[in-house]
Amino acid sequence: MPILTLENAHACVTEALVRCGTGPAAAESTARALVGAEADGLAGHGLSRVPAYAAQVRAGKVVGRAEVAVETPRPGLLAVDAAHGFAYPALDAAVAHLPAMARAQGIAAAGIRRSHHCGAAGRPVEALAEQGLVALLFANTPAAMAPWGGARAVFGTNPIAFAAPVPGRAPIVIDLSLSKVARGAIVTARRRGETLPEGWALDAEGRPTTDPDAALAGTMVPLGEAKGTALALMVEILAAGLVGARFAGEASSFLDAAGDPPGTGQLLIALDAGAFSAEAGSRFALLAESIEAQDGARLPGSRRLALRARARTEGLTVSEALLAEIAAA
């Protein structure tokens, strides 16, 4: 299979998005996120998204030339309107504004509305942690999970991400979907012609399935059973109800060009890591070391960092079929 350098992959994605009607700055932002996710081994949030993204811009489901608007309704708060464009430029705007606000006040938050798929949720919080902030991201997504005991999808897979700075090393980053696996993993399996492991998804009748098509027509199994759907409810309130975005059940799919824009939301919270204690960073490092000192234990994200480093030197392996789809987008 072909191997692309990160620079070549970025150019390929940017050109495809501009060709379909995306503004150059938004295309650059989106390409950075997709190539970065691919490099981190998160294929469901990587280059496989390009054909669907391009189709959505052409159909007007994503506004390719949307202008992100940022307001400050209260001290310490940002209201970010993604204007039905891609989420990445809106997330970039939040990451650009939050550090100064959090350092001045100890804490700051950005609510993003009229947004879209936020991709690998760990990336924005990692960017904030690299600037000395503890960060949280909540994102709602189109309906994919039923409430515990129910059969109709009401919640999205609703990722939660967290990052904390650690002196002298990469931040600790936690990025998880509230379904047992991210919906993007189902899409990737379908693309590859693979069956799913048991326990990932249910079909439209609520029966366990290993068929990706049946899974995408049905619902995802929540992480931690009832606890997962309780957390998904929390994310709907924080990332949609609070910020003025659509709930999962009101949003159209991220996966196709049918319907109106999804209009989902994200809430990004940043805290100055030294606001309470000047020793916080060293305490974070101590905890990390106590985990890594145990045989077989590792910090979340260590595999991601290893894959990222390898991608920088060895590039990305991309199938001929996917490259052809991107070229035709």
Side-chain angles (χ1 to χ4, degrees):
M1 288 195 290
I3 296 176
L4 301 181
T5 65
L6 297 184
E7 294 75 16
N8 287 343
H10 180 89
C12 176
V13 174
T14 302
E15 289 166 9
L17 293 172
V18 169
R19 190 166 60 244
C20 72
T22 307
E28 290 279 350
S29 172
T30 303
R32 277 195 302 274
L34 297 185
V35 173
E38 191 79 27
D40 286 357
L42 304 172
H45 296 308
L47 303 189
S48 65
R49 293 277 177 170
V50 177
Y53 278 10
Q56 290 175 51
V57 174
R58 291 188 187 281
K61 186 172 180 175
V62 171
V63 178
R65 297 187 179 275
E67 294 289 336
V68 175
V70 180
E71 298 177 344
T72 52
R74 305 278 179 86
L77 294 182
L78 294 173
V80 183
D81 183 1
H84 293 312
F86 288 114
Y88 308 109
L91 288 164
D92 287 348
V95 169
H97 284 82
L98 284 173
M101 297 172 70
R103 291 189 195 104
Q105 302 179 135
I107 186 169
I112 302 173
R113 66 186 184 279
R114 297 206 297 171
S115 194
H116 194 263
H117 175 235
C118 77
R123 292 183 60 79
V125 292
E126 182 179 16
L128 290 169
E130 287 171 345
Q131 299 182 66
L133 304 172
V134 174
L136 289 147
L137 173 69
F138 305 93
N140 84 315
T141 66
M145 289 199 307
W148 191 249
R152 180 174 60 85
V154 172
F155 308 128
T157 56
N158 291 7
I160 296 173
F162 167 86
V166 182
R169 58 183 292 170
I172 295 170
V173 178
I174 298 167
D175 176 357
L176 55 89
S177 165
L178 294 181
S179 55
K180 189 171 285 189
V181 296
R183 198 166 172 83
I186 308 293
V187 176
T188 300
R190 180 177 65 175
R191 176 179 294 278
R192 294 174 176 171
E194 299 171 351
T195 58
L196 306 176
E198 293 184 3
W200 279 19
L202 308 173
D203 66 15
E205 305 301 321
R207 298 170 301 205
T209 183
T210 60
D211 179 351
D213 289 313
L216 291 171
T219 59
M220 305 292 291
V221 173
L223 179 71
E225 300 182 336
K227 294 178 182 178
T229 54
L231 287 172
L233 170 60
M234 178 189 76
V235 174
E236 290 292 335
I237 290 170
L238 290 173
L242 183 66
V243 307
R246 288 181 177 174
F247 289 125
E250 300 169 326
S252 60
S253 175
F254 290 156
L255 303 176
D256 59 47
D260 60 353
T264 51
Q266 293 94 30
L267 178 67
L268 192 55
I269 301 172
L271 299 95
D272 184 343
F276 295 108
S277 169
E279 298 179 355
S282 61
R283 297 290 291 165
F284 298 162
L286 178 64
L287 181 59
E289 290 162 6
S290 72
I291 294 167
E292 293 179 324
Q294 299 187 43
D295 289 341
R298 62 180 178 84
L299 285 173
S302 57
R303 176 180 175 274
R304 171 182 51 82
L305 291 173
L307 289 172
R308 182 185 298 178
R310 188 166 71 185
R312 288 190 184 118
T313 58
E314 299 179 11
L316 301 173
T317 301
V318 186
S319 72
E320 293 274 11
L322 179 55
L323 284 177
E325 285 189 72
I326 292 173

